[in-house]
């Protein structure tokens, strides 16, 4: 269905995702229209394609999937169009132009601008602006209309035009695959549809080369940094519909162009994206160089005794060894599960560094993890992004992140906590940022979930056996009394958890359906937990779930729990945004790093809100279109309504999002889900988030399946082999 009309009002537009609500005047009627738009203004004539829908709150709306500007069709429309868009030209002068040239006005403006010099009200500057505007506007909308025949949305088409410019149509006709070089986020399959419709051969070199790069990028979305060549060829045969000889030839071509690298791992050939291979190489070189350097030896025994006495703690022999290894090596790793004393070791190391007057920096991969280590040590911790001053990076541009210029770290010692969360590119940026003689102390639980991004950095470093490493195994007295911690270690060892359901901090509630699982969650949140424990249900409880979608995913659970804990009320303002209702007192999470976002604490202003920060909506000002969130530490942050895509409800969050955080009380529904996602270290990570109580609700067979499923530990990377090979080469050369 198509409708044509004039934009009467733009009610709302989100500049981040281009979602727009506008009022379109069609004849004498006004129609509310919703969809994605780019550069539109009031008075623009639009042709929208879509369908009429009924919104549960706002009623009848026209939901459009594409649109195009209808350039002025009448004399009066053309006069208004000129006057509205060209600075210094009013309706009187615009009328003079149209009266003089009539139906030929546009052609005169575009191609015969000299004729305009006789028009009253125009000068050389105005004529130049008039010509430039009409040419660029015509070219842009001509390009958008051209691309629309390939089912490319106006928003994406405009993004292509902005990147490529007036030659877009010629470039697309010559080689549509070249668009992928201009816009990294453009999907290969979108461009491939253009290529197919233009009759480009399936074995066209540009098509094959870009298709292979697309394929290997898809594979790295699952955390791998490389793929077995045989598997890549097989995948690309199906994707590109050509035979294996064409694929192998294209891979060879890309290797010669240094866009891909091939390396042997376990006697098999693996293919790497250039940036992935070089990043692993950089990391390996830095680590091996650090293992060859010596540090000024410290007699840690006496210093440990001194700082322990001052702090009134006593380190075990295992912990003392960890402190000694960290302080007396240029690079070291401490790993261990919950309750094994990693934080105690960090505190002791810091105390000794301060005693020795060595400057150090404490850091973590995420804002939540940095905040947690700050709270447990009493010392300021930075995110790696903040430490290295990494700000705006296009997640789709791997090469750009690889080449990013980071800030030099000046401190003598860098201590990284929650290191299991560090991905390949972040580790590469860290090794770029530290000096050759910077001491590096890496702390983390290798059995937790690996990083969201590609790589398995902590596991690869430990399993390479090239870095001095202490694995903490002893669970200390207080932790040993916790069934949560005892059973987390059982799970990590491949043993099924044991549930007592009496005199315990770990409970299991069996259910036989999704509906029953949801009922149990709702009753716990509504009243049962409050009668059992002394807690602030909104602030002390966190629901964790393996997934975002499905009935037990974060989206649906958040909607259900919001109705229980923060129901609609005339006393609370609310705003609907992208099908979500944000209400005063809602629990929300920041889901992207925003380094420029200012906030205040007791009247003082600071910068930086991070992915994973949890807060509560303090107030919503409908008039000024502002929403205020109070995060931990009384950080009050202001959001414009068009920034609400940075927030999600967080009554329920994914286990991945919980990494680096701890919560007093945790509810963990495990009933069904995507089997590859239901892994041992996902369960282990979820269990280790709970401090005071963990309630698992669901199917015991699925819990046991997770214990048995080691799938996510099988990320394919090349860092371990590079470390081992580089160490061997160095030893061989030094003989």
């Amino acid at each position: 269905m198509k409708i044509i009309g004039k934009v009467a009002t733009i009610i709302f537009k989100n500049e981040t995702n281009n979602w727009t609500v506008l009022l379109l005047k069609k004849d004498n009627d006004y129609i509310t229209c919703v969809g994605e738009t780019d550069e539109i203004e009031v008075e623009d004539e639009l042709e929208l394609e879509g369908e009429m829908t009924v919104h549960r709150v706002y009623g009848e709306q026209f939901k459009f999937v594409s649109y195009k500007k209808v350039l002025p069709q009448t004399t009066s429309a053309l006069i208004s169009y000129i006057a509205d868009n060209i600075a210094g030209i009013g309706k009187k002068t615009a009328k003079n132009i149209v009266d003089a040239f009539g139906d030929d006005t546009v052609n005169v403006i575009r191609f015969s601008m000299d004729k305009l010099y006789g028009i009253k009200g125009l000068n050389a500057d105005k004529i130049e602006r008039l010509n430039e505007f009409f040419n660029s506007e015509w070219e842009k909308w001509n390009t958008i209309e051209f691309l629309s025949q390939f089912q490319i949305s106006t928003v994406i088409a405009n993004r292509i035009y902005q990147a490529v410019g007036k030659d877009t149509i010629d470039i697309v006709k010559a080689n549509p695959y070249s668009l992928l070089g201009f816009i990294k986020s453009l999907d290969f399959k979108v461009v491939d549809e253009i290529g197919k419709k233009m009759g480009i051969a399936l074995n066209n070199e540009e098509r094959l080369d870009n298709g292979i790069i697309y394929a290997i990028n898809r594979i790295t979305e699952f955390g791998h940094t490389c793929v077995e060549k045989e598997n890549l060829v097989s995948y690309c045969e199906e994707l590109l519909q050509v035979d294996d000889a064409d694929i192998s030839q294209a891979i060879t071509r890309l290797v010669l162009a240094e866009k891909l690298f091939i390396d042997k791992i376990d006697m098999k050939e693996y293919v790497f994206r250039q940036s992935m291979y070089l990043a692993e190489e950089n990391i390996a070189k830095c680590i091996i160089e650090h293992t060859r350097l010596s540090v000024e030896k410290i007699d840690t025994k006496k210093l440990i005794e001194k700082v322990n006495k001052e702090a009134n703690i006593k380190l075990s022999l295992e912990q003392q060894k960890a402190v000694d290894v960290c302080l007396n090596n240029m690079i070291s790793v401490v790993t261990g599960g919950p309750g094994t004393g990693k934080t105690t070791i960090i505190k002791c190391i810091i105390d000794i560094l301060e005693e020795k007057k060595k400057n150090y920096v404490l850091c973590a991969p995420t804002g939540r993890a940095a905040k947690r280590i700050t709270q447990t040590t009493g010392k300021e911790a930075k995110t790696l992004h903040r430490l290295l001053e990494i700000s705006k990076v296009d997640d789709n541009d791997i090469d750009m992140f690889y080449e990013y210029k980071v800030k030099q770290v000046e401190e003598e010692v860098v201590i990284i906590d929650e290191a299991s969360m560090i991905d390949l590119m972040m580790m590469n940026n860290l090794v770029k940022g530290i000096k050759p003689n910077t001491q590096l102390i890496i702390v983390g639980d290798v059995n937790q979930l690996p990083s969201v991004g590609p790589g398995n950095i902590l596991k690869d470093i430990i399993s390479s056996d090239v870095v001095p490493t202490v694995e903490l195994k002893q669970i200390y007295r207080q932790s040993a009394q916790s069934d949560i911690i005892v059973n987390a270690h059982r799970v990590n060892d491949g043993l099924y958890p044991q549930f007592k359901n009496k005199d315990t901090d770990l409970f299991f509630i069996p259910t036989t359906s999704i509906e029953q699982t949801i009922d149990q969650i709702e009753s716990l949140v509504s009243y049962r937990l409050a009668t059992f424990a002394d807690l602030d249900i909104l602030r002390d409880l966190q629901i964790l779930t393996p997934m975002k979608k499905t009935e037990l995913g974060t989206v649906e659970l958040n909607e259900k729990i919001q109705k229980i804990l923060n129901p609609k009320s005339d006393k609370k303002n609310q705003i609907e945004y992208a099908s979500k209702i944000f209400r005063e007192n809602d629990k929300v999470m920041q889901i992207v790093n925003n380094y420029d976002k200012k906030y205040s604490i007791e009247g003082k202003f600071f910068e930086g809100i991070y992915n994973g920060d949890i807060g509560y909506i303090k107030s919503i000002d409908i008039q000024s279109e502002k929403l205020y969130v109070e995060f931990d530490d009384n950080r009050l942050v202001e959001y414009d309504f068009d920034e609400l895509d940075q927030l999600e409800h967080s009554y329920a969050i994914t286990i991945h999002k919980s990494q680096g955080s701890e919560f007093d009380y945790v509810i963990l529904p495990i009933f069904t889900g995507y089997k590859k996602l239901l892994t041992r270290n996902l369960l282990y990570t979820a269990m280790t988030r709970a401090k005071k109580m963990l309630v698992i609700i669901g199917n015991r067979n699925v819990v046991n399946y997770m214990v048995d499923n080691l799938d996510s530990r099988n990320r394919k990377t090349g860092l371990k082999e590079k470390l081992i090979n580089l160490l061997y080469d160095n030893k061989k050369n030094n003989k």
Side-chain angles (χ1 to χ4, degrees):
M1 178 182 178
K2 292 182 181 179
I3 59 172
I4 297 176
K6 186 178 284 189
V7 178
T9 307
I10 297 174
I11 299 168
F12 171 78
K13 182 170 183 184
N14 179 349
E15 297 299 337
T16 304
N17 62 14
N18 298 295
W19 184 257
T20 307
V21 181
L22 59 89
L23 205 59
L24 195 78
K25 185 178 180 185
K26 178 177 166 55
D27 301 324
N28 292 320
D29 293 330
Y30 289 88
I31 304 169
T32 301
C33 303
V34 296
E36 291 183 4
T37 68
D38 253 325
E39 299 171 357
I40 63 163
E41 296 177 357
V42 172
E43 295 294 317
D44 280 348
E45 194 92 11
L46 301 181
E47 179 185 291
L48 307 175
E49 185 167 354
E51 60 180 9
M52 293 302 301
T53 61
V54 178
H55 190 277
R56 58 193 171 89
V57 177
Y58 298 111
E60 195 173 57
Q61 298 178 335
F62 186 79
K63 190 171 186 179
F64 59 92
V65 292
S66 66
Y67 75 96
K68 65 180 180 181
K69 279 192 181 182
V70 179
L71 296 171
Q73 304 292 311
T74 64
T75 297
S76 60
L78 185 55
I79 290 169
S80 295
Y81 189 73
I82 293 170
D84 290 344
N85 287 287
I86 314 300
I89 298 180
K91 285 196 173 180
K92 189 174 180 181
T93 304
K95 187 175 185 303
N96 292 340
I97 298 169
V98 176
D99 286 348
F101 302 108
D103 292 342
D104 204 32
T105 298
V106 173
N107 286 331
V108 169
I109 292 171
R110 294 189 67 201
F111 306 116
S112 305
M113 54 190 286
D114 288 349
K115 293 180 181 179
L116 295 169
Y117 280 96
I119 303 296
K120 188 176 179 182
L122 291 181
N123 56 30
D125 184 49
K126 291 178 183 178
I127 291 169
E128 186 72 28
R129 287 205 301 272
L130 192 60
N131 173 263
E132 283 180 4
F133 174 77
F134 267 76
N135 277 328
S136 65
E137 195 74 355
W138 250 252
E139 283 160 358
K140 180 172 75 174
W141 288 99
N142 188 35
T143 299
I144 289 171
E145 193 162 5
F146 168 77
L147 292 172
S148 70
Q149 68 182 297
F150 304 111
Q151 281 70 56
I152 292 179
S153 73
T154 305
V155 172
I156 293 175
N158 190 47
R159 197 187 310 160
I160 292 170
Y161 181 81
Q162 296 298 333
V164 183
K166 61 185 179 62
D167 299 322
T168 301
I169 293 175
D170 291 337
I171 287 171
V172 170
K173 285 180 177 178
N175 175 18
Y177 298 97
S178 63
L179 291 176
L180 296 161
F182 290 100
I183 307 169
K184 300 294 182 183
S185 58
L186 201 57
D187 194 318
F188 169 79
K189 289 186 176 179
V190 171
V191 177
D192 200 34
E193 282 304 308
I194 301 175
K196 287 176 182 176
K197 286 177 181 174
M198 288 175 62
I200 290 174
L202 292 180
N203 64 351
N204 173 276
E205 287 189 4
E206 285 281 346
R207 177 177 184 267
L208 295 182
D209 291 357
N210 281 289
I212 290 168
I213 295 294
Y214 165 79
I216 204 164
N217 285 346
R218 284 296 308 275
I219 290 164
T220 58
E221 287 175 10
F222 295 94
H224 309 291
T225 64
C226 58
V227 56
E228 193 176 338
K229 184 180 177 183
E230 188 179 320
N231 293 341
L232 178 63
V233 171
S234 176
Y235 177 61
C236 288
E237 278 184 83
E238 187 178 340
L239 172 72
L240 300 171
Q241 298 170 309
V242 295
D243 60 36
D244 60 355
D246 286 324
I247 301 297
S248 295
Q249 189 177 2
I251 290 173
T252 300
R253 188 166 54 245
L254 289 164
V255 169
L256 290 171
E258 294 191 341
K259 291 183 178 178
L260 296 181
F261 280 78
I262 293 180
D263 207 357
K264 277 197 172 179
I265 302 172
D266 299 328
M267 303 304 291
K268 292 180 181 177
E269 286 191 320
Y270 282 82
V271 184
F272 294 77
R273 264 296 293 270
Q274 180 205 42
S275 52
M276 299 277 188
Y277 183 88
L278 294 177
E280 286 189 346
E281 201 171 60
N282 287 347
I283 294 164
K285 283 178 181 175
C286 175
I287 288 173
I288 296 302
E289 282 302 310
H290 269 65
T291 62
R292 296 174 64 190
L293 296 173
S294 58
V295 295
E296 180 189 345
K297 294 297 179 184
I298 298 174
D299 182 359
T300 55
K301 188 175 180 182
K302 290 182 180 178
L303 286 167
I304 289 171
E305 287 176 5
K306 181 179 179 184
V307 297
N308 282 356
K309 189 175 181 182
E310 290 170 356
N312 196 26
I313 58 172
K314 184 173 178 57
L315 266 64
S316 69
L317 292 176
E318 182 183 68
Q319 290 174 316
Q320 289 178 47
K321 180 187 175 185
V323 173
D324 184 71
V325 167
C326 290
L327 290 171
N328 285 311
N329 287 280
M330 280 300 291
I331 183 167
S332 55
V333 172
V334 176
T335 187
T340 55
K342 296 188 298 295
T343 303
T344 303
I345 288 164
I346 291 174
K347 283 180 184 174
C348 185
I349 289 169
I350 289 171
D351 288 341
I352 290 174
L353 290 173
E354 289 179 352
E355 177 76 20
K356 298 288 290 182
K357 295 188 168 44
K358 279 196 170 189
N359 59 337
Y360 65 90
V361 61
L362 188 58
C363 54
T366 66
R368 290 287 292 176
K371 181 190 167 210
R372 182 179 158 211
I373 196 66
T374 296
Q375 290 173 332
T376 54
T377 63
K379 305 292 181 181
E380 183 194 2
K382 297 180 179 181
T383 64
L384 288 170
H385 281 84
R386 177 64 78 190
L387 175 71
L388 301 169
E389 294 190 356
I390 297 171
S391 52
K392 298 173 179 67
V393 178
D394 182 355
D395 291 338
N396 296 293
D397 194 340
I398 297 168
D399 298 325
M400 177 186 168
F401 200 27
Y402 168 74
E403 293 164 359
Y404 198 95
K405 286 191 171 143
V406 299
K407 181 194 172 191
Q408 188 81 48
V409 178
E410 298 298 332
E411 285 82 3
E412 296 172 84
V413 184
V414 175
I415 305 168
I416 312 165
D417 194 26
E418 296 289 357
S420 64
M421 299 167 69
I422 302 175
D423 65 23
L424 175 67
M425 287 302 168
M426 183 54 75
M427 189 66 184
N428 181 58
N429 280 316
L430 176 64
V431 301
K432 285 193 293 183
I434 62 174
K435 296 176 179 177
N437 60 345
T438 302
Q439 201 170 347
L440 202 54
I441 298 171
I442 302 169
V443 182
D445 184 349
V446 74
N447 295 305
Q448 281 191 34
L449 287 168
S451 57
V452 174
N456 211 348
I457 300 298
L458 184 61
K459 182 175 183 290
D460 282 350
I461 292 173
I462 292 171
S463 57
S464 71
D465 204 26
V466 303
V467 174
T469 300
V470 177
E471 182 181 359
L472 305 170
K473 295 180 179 178
Q474 184 180 342
I475 304 173
Y476 292 95
R477 187 168 58 85
Q478 188 174 352
S479 298
Q481 296 170 356
S482 165
D483 288 325
I484 296 172
I485 289 177
V486 169
N487 278 281
H489 282 273
R490 282 183 61 82
V491 166
N492 189 46
D493 291 335
L495 302 172
Y496 299 146
Q498 295 176 333
F499 301 110
K500 297 191 299 194
N501 282 1
K502 188 177 181 183
D503 298 323
T504 182
D505 55 4
L506 173 63
F507 296 86
F508 178 72
I509 301 174
T511 57
T512 56
S513 67
I514 290 174
E515 292 73 22
Q516 190 184 5
T517 307
I518 292 169
D519 286 345
Q520 290 287 349
I521 295 169
E522 289 180 340
S523 66
L524 281 167
V525 170
S526 299
Y527 63 90
R528 283 166 61 196
L529 269 179
T531 60
F532 185 83
D534 181 18
L535 80 161
D536 180 335
I537 200 81
L538 194 62
R539 293 176 184 268
D540 298 337
L541 171 69
Q542 185 60 61
I543 299 170
L544 301 181
T545 178
M547 60 222 118
K548 289 190 76 169
K549 296 178 181 177
T550 77
E551 289 178 89
L552 289 172
T554 57
V555 176
E556 294 208 25
L557 283 177
N558 273 316
E559 205 170 305
K560 289 179 172 67
I561 303 305
Q562 183 193 41
K563 289 175 183 175
I564 296 170
L565 295 183
N566 193 29
K568 186 176 180 180
S569 165
D570 293 338
K571 295 178 181 178
K572 289 181 280 196
N573 287 333
Q574 66 181 48
I575 174 73
E576 179 165 357
Y577 178 89
S579 302
K580 290 181 286 193
I581 293 173
F582 289 102
R583 186 175 294 138
E584 287 175 349
N585 209 36
D586 265 342
K587 185 177 184 179
V588 292
M589 174 186 279
Q590 174 81 14
I591 58 170
V592 294
N593 289 324
N594 188 333
Y595 302 94
D596 302 323
K597 176 63 76 176
K598 292 182 171 58
Y599 62 88
S600 65
I601 300 177
E602 297 177 354
K604 293 182 180 179
F605 284 88
F606 304 88
E607 284 184 347
I609 297 296
Y610 304 106
N611 185 356
D613 283 355
I614 291 176
Y616 302 85
I617 298 176
K618 190 169 185 180
S619 63
I620 299 174
D621 190 330
I622 305 295
Q623 290 289 102
S624 64
E625 297 189 345
K626 304 282 187 188
L627 180 148
Y628 298 87
V629 178
E630 186 171 52
F631 290 96
D632 301 321
D633 305 323
N634 301 315
R635 295 174 293 161
L636 188 64
V637 182
E638 175 187 290
Y639 292 84
D640 294 328
F641 282 180
D642 63 4
E643 294 179 305
L644 295 184
D645 58 329
Q646 296 182 32
L647 296 175
E648 279 183 358
H649 292 99
S650 62
Y651 300 103
I653 64 174
T654 63
I655 297 166
H656 279 89
K657 282 284 188 187
S658 74
Q659 278 186 276
S661 304
E662 283 187 337
F663 310 97
D664 284 349
Y665 297 84
V666 170
I667 293 175
L668 177 62
I670 296 176
F671 189 84
T672 186
Y674 179 48
K675 286 192 172 181
K676 277 206 157 194
L677 191 65
L678 299 173
T679 61
R680 181 187 296 178
N681 55 3
L682 190 82
L683 176 60
Y684 173 78
T685 300
M687 292 177 72
T688 56
R689 301 309 90 202
K691 289 197 291 184
K692 293 183 178 178
M693 183 188 295
L694 171 64
V695 183
I696 301 176
I697 307 171
N699 187 328
R700 180 64 196 253
N701 290 333
V702 178
V703 174
N704 292 349
Y705 172 84
M706 292 179 78
V707 175
D708 294 333
N709 184 12
L710 290 169
D711 184 74
S712 72
R713 295 190 178 187
N714 297 326
R715 284 188 174 190
K716 201 63 217 175
T717 64
L719 180 59
K720 174 185 171 182
E721 282 71 20
K722 287 183 177 70
L723 286 165
I724 293 169
N725 293 338
L726 197 54
L727 182 67
Y728 174 78
D729 290 344
N730 282 342
K731 285 180 177 178
K732 188 173 158 186
N733 293 333
N734 289 330
K735 279 184 178 178

